[in-house]
Each structure stands twice: as C-alpha cells, then as structure tokens.
Amino acid sequence: MGKYTIEEFINQTKQDEQENEYFELETPRILEVNLTDEVWAKAGSMISYNGQIKFEREKVLEHGVGKMFKKAFTGEGSSLMKASGRGSLYLADQGKKITIFDLDNESITVNGNDLLAFEPGIDWDIKLMKKVAGMLSGGLFNVTLKGSGKVAITSHYEPLTLLVKPGQPVITDPNATVAWSGHLTPEFRTDISFRTFLGRGSGESIQMEFSGEGFVIVQPFEEVYMSGSSSS
C-alpha cells in the first residue's frame, strides 16, 4: 500500500477528463472548474490550470462602495479573485475538504474563510459579525450567497449538519462553524462559567445560538482567525 510504479500512480491519481460539470470534485480536496466564462474564487486558491485563463484580483470598487468598506475590516481572508476564459481550473485551500452546493433560488451563509468558489451570477454580501469582532482575534465575517448556481465551501475534515427546529436552538463554537441557512441569524452569547469549567482561553466563552428552522454546518476543528490574513 502506497507503493506504485509511476504508471500505476498516474492512472490512479490523474484527472478525469470525461467529467464536464461546471464544478467537479476532482478529489475530495481539489475542485475542478470547467471554465467557459468566469468564476469567483478565494484569492490564492489556484493550484493549476490549463487553457486560456486570466486571473484578476477583485477591483476596489468592483462590487460597490458598501462591500469595499466592509472588506477593509475583514482582511485578506475575504479577498476574491476572478478567473475568466476557457479551460480547466483547479482550486484548493490548505487541504481542506470541499463540498459543492447547487443552489436553486436558495441562500446560504458561509464563514468567509470557508468560501472557496461560486458562480458569478450568484448575489453575495459580506457581513462582519460586529458583536464578536473585539472578542475573537481578528473578528469573524461571513458571506451570504443567494440565487441559483454552484457554490463550493471548505471544511477541515468531514462536516456535520445539525438541524435547527422551532423550540430546539443549536449552539455552536464560532471557530468550528462553517455555514448555515441563509435566513438564520445567529445570536452571540458569552458564558463565563462554561469557559471556567473547561479551563480554556477566552475564545471558548463565546457561543453562537441558532433559533428557528434550518441547518448549521460544523467541522471537527477549531480555526484560529488572525487579523489581516487567512488562517492556517
């Protein structure tokens, strides 16, 4: 196991040239975009491409003054790049597992650090979680995506979906929360006794509470967000 001839290794790990969906999981941790027009992706996520593809960083005013203003607070982790042209584009983010959603006139909110790519026709907006900006290193921000089309998100290891039901709120650790129903608005609360009981740092005392009806996606990993850069 783990020993191959070069030919065996190539056959086992080469890209599948038969697949032609717009978004394809080439491996669980590499996204293939079969580009015919353009796509928005997390800046720095390109690992390879072929064909005629041009890359551009998001222009300062490309999405309006409102989003530019919010981006000034969210740092490098929210930077986007636009890939335009025709060819195969391969994206990845620090080996994190990738999940593709096909939105059908729906909305989903994603932790900004966990958004990998989305179709340009999808409407999106950045929201800084102001209540926790001073409590967590660098704060937290999220991106709400609405409409129809493909969205790719990332998680450390396998994600778990928790269902939110009326009268049964779901409480999560912000650092382990990946995404949630677009119509849900989490409330933030601090629990000093919870922090003291665990004997951990101040970040453990902040919790997200989701009420109503929908879903929350969590990962078995607590990301640490650094101000002005994406986490490792």
Side-chain angles (χ1 to χ4, degrees):
M1 187 134 181
K3 295 174 67 175
Y4 305 91
T5 66
I6 290 178
E7 183 177 3
E8 287 171 342
F9 182 77
I10 290 172
N11 287 335
Q12 181 147 332
T13 61
K14 69 181 179 181
Q15 73 267 33
D16 185 349
E17 296 174 347
Q18 302 303 311
E19 297 176 336
N20 56 11
E21 286 282 326
Y22 180 56
F23 279 13
E24 290 281 355
L25 283 182
E26 197 61 21
T27 77
R29 301 170 193 277
I30 298 176
L31 176 70
E32 178 185 11
V33 181
N34 291 290
L35 198 59
T36 57
D37 184 13
E38 62 183 38
V39 67
W40 283 103
K42 185 174 184 176
S45 63
M46 185 277 288
I47 59 171
S48 180
Y49 72 92
N50 59 56
Q52 300 298 316
I53 300 176
K54 183 173 75 169
F55 299 91
E56 297 177 275
R57 273 295 182 104
E58 180 184 15
K59 296 181 178 65
V60 172
L61 292 176
E62 179 146 10
H63 294 107
V65 176
K67 288 180 181 174
M68 178 193 71
F69 179 75
K70 281 179 281 192
K71 284 178 65 60
F73 291 94
T74 56
E76 185 71 14
S78 64
S79 293
L80 296 171
M81 66 179 182
K82 181 168 63 176
S84 307
R86 299 182 67 89
S88 296
L89 170 62
Y90 298 93
L91 304 174
D93 185 15
Q94 303 175 40
K96 293 161 71 175
K97 188 176 178 67
I98 300 168
T99 301
I100 300 171
F101 292 105
D102 194 353
L103 299 185
D104 182 11
N105 196 29
E106 297 166 299
S107 66
I108 186 172
T109 299
V110 183
N111 182 307
N113 197 55
D114 300 319
L115 179 60
L116 181 62
F118 58 94
E119 291 193 54
I122 289 179
D123 184 42
W124 60 278
D125 193 21
I126 294 173
K127 296 180 180 178
L128 180 66
M129 300 182 189
K130 297 177 182 177
K131 291 184 179 179
V132 294
M135 304 178 193
L136 296 174
S137 178
L140 286 175
F141 66 95
N142 57 60
V143 182
T144 298
L145 305 111
K146 301 177 182 178
S148 297
K150 298 284 199 308
V151 174
I153 70 170
T154 60
S155 62
H156 286 280
Y157 311 106
E158 286 68 31
L160 172 67
T161 299
L162 305 169
L163 297 180
V164 181
K165 300 177 182 178
Q168 299 179 34
V170 170
I171 299 166
T172 65
D173 179 337
N175 291 329
T177 306
V178 174
W180 56 92
S181 306
H183 62 277
L184 292 181
T185 301
E187 289 292 326
F188 291 89
R189 68 186 202 186
T190 56
D191 188 333
I192 302 301
S193 63
F194 181 69
R195 177 190 64 186
T196 305
F197 176 73
L198 290 176
R200 297 187 182 183
S202 60
E204 292 294 337
S205 67
I206 304 168
Q207 300 163 14
M208 297 173 74
E209 182 173 347
F210 296 87
S211 300
E213 190 165 9
F215 64 86
V216 182
I217 301 171
V218 294
Q219 62 184 5
F221 185 95
E222 292 183 47
E223 291 196 70
V224 178
Y225 303 96
M226 300 303 293
S227 181
S229 66
S230 58
S231 71
S232 59

